[in-house]
Amino acid sequence: MLKIVKASLVIAATLGVSGVAQADVSEALANICTIVQADDKGELRKKMRSVESDYRMKLKDYYSGISCSGNSLIRTALLNNAVEAGELLVKKMPKSDLQAPEADGKTLQAWVAENGLQDNPIAAVLNDRL
C-alpha cells in the first residue's frame, strides 16, 4: 500500500512539474523580441545560454515558436537593423533551418529579396552561411 502511495506522489509531482516547466520557458523567452530589437548581443547570448542550461533547449528548438509582431527573430533583427543580434542568430541556427520556409511559407532569402534588404549586413552573413 505504501509503495502505491509513493508511486502516485511521484507521478503527480512529475506531471505538475512538466506543466510548470512549459510556462517557465515561455516566461524565460518573454522579452527576447525586445532584446533583439535593441541589438543587445550580450543579453541575447545570456538569454540563449540560460534557456539552454535550464530547459535543455537550443535556439532551433524554440525559434519557430517565437513571433515578434508577426516576424521571426531574424526578420525582426533585419527590420530593426540589429546587426549584432541578427548575426548571432544566423550563426547559431542550423543551415537547414535557415533554408526552411518560415510561418508565411517564404524562406529568409526570399523574404530579404522581397523587402529589399539585400544590403543589410545580416543578409550578407545569411548568404555566406548558405
Side-chain angles (χ1 to χ4, degrees), residues 4-118:
I4 294 172
V5 173
K6 285 182 182 179
S8 298
L9 289 174
V10 169
I11 291 171
T14 304
L15 292 175
V17 171
S18 65
V20 172
Q22 188 68 10
D24 290 343
V25 172
S26 298
E27 224 173 86
L29 295 170
N31 66 342
I32 197 163
C33 291
T34 308
I35 294 169
V36 171
Q37 289 169 348
D39 197 19
D40 191 346
K41 181 180 176 181
E43 190 63 30
L44 179 60
R45 186 183 306 268
K46 190 185 322 179
K47 176 74 66 179
M48 290 166 56
R49 280 186 189 150
S50 70
V51 169
E52 186 173 348
S53 67
D54 294 346
Y55 305 103
R56 294 186 180 152
M57 294 177 73
K58 293 196 177 276
L59 178 62
K60 67 178 184 168
D61 298 328
Y62 55 85
Y63 178 82
S64 62
I66 296 174
S67 176
C68 306
S69 302
N71 291 309
S72 67
L73 290 172
I74 295 175
R75 288 182 182 184
T76 300
L78 283 159
L79 290 171
N80 290 290
N81 202 27
V83 177
E84 301 256 334
E87 287 179 357
L88 176 65
L89 290 167
V90 169
K91 290 176 182 177
K92 290 288 185 178
M93 285 292 290
K95 289 180 186 180
S96 60
D97 289 352
L98 290 173
Q99 294 172 333
E102 294 199 354
D104 62 357
K106 298 175 187 167
T107 63
L108 279 170
Q109 285 182 313
W111 184 86
V112 166
E114 185 179 285
N115 289 290
L117 297 169
Q118 298 91 338

